[in-house]
Amino acid sequence: MSSSSLVCALSGNPIASSEEAVVTPSGRICTKSLLLSKLADNGGSDPFTKQPLEEDQLISLSLNKAAVIPPRLSTTSMPALLELLNTEYSNLVLELFDTRQLLEETRKELSQALYQNDAAVRVVARLSQERDVAPPEVANWETK
């Protein structure tokens, strides 16, 4: 577990205490190595604001390497931990149920769209066939 509570704005990952954290002029906190590689890719422009950005404009942050994140109070006892796991499991099952319902609804919509597309193709084919048959029939009517 990381001893830092800072999150890199580029990667979304926590910044480890072994990495150097910097702040951009726009106020974003990033890992220095990742930000410098992004600056090299972008031709020296800030990846967030697209403004020119030099390495000397970055403000270095010092992280307390001895800091330890305390455990959540809700996980300090076995019953609390079991309750937390049960809650997480229930949330996961509910999310899975909602996802399956959404999948079924999407399948029905796709089936309906495919049915409508098939019907439209059949109508176009029938009209094309009627169009091809119509000129000879009109010519027969005119000769009679």
Side-chain angles (χ1 to χ4, degrees), residues 9-83:
L10 287 171
S11 67
N13 296 327
I15 299 175
S17 59
S18 61
E19 299 175 312
E20 186 178 355
V22 293
V23 179
T24 65
S26 61
R28 308 291 173 105
I29 299 173
C30 302
T31 306
K32 185 175 184 177
S33 60
L34 185 60
L35 182 60
L36 291 178
S37 67
K38 198 68 170 169
L39 284 174
D41 292 345
N42 291 344
S45 64
D46 187 331
F48 305 105
T49 63
K50 308 299 183 215
Q51 300 295 321
L53 180 62
E54 298 292 326
E55 185 176 351
D56 60 349
Q57 292 177 293
L58 301 175
I59 301 169
S60 188
L61 297 176
S62 62
L63 301 176
N64 185 0
K65 298 192 187 307
V68 176
I69 299 174
R72 292 180 14 190
L73 290 178
S74 61
T75 60
T76 55
S77 69
M78 196 59 150
L81 182 61
L82 289 174
E83 182 180 342

Side-chain angles (χ1 to χ4, degrees), residues 73-142:
L73 290 178
S74 61
T75 60
T76 55
S77 69
M78 196 59 150
L81 182 61
L82 289 174
E83 182 180 342
L84 178 67
L85 288 173
N86 187 23
T87 303
E88 290 296 322
Y89 175 77
S90 298
N91 291 339
L92 183 64
V93 169
L94 288 173
E95 183 179 349
L96 179 61
F97 177 75
D98 292 342
T99 304
R100 286 184 177 166
Q101 278 188 328
L102 185 60
L103 175 63
E104 187 61 32
E105 182 181 318
T106 305
R107 281 184 178 164
K108 288 178 182 176
E109 289 174 7
L110 178 61
S111 175
Q112 181 67 24
L114 289 173
Y115 177 77
Q116 288 176 350
N117 185 346
D118 186 49
V121 167
R122 288 181 187 189
V123 167
V124 168
R126 184 178 49 97
L127 290 174
S128 296
Q129 186 179 19
E130 289 177 5
R131 180 201 62 202
D132 294 341
V133 171
E137 287 183 7
V138 169
N140 283 340
W141 280 82
E142 289 176 355

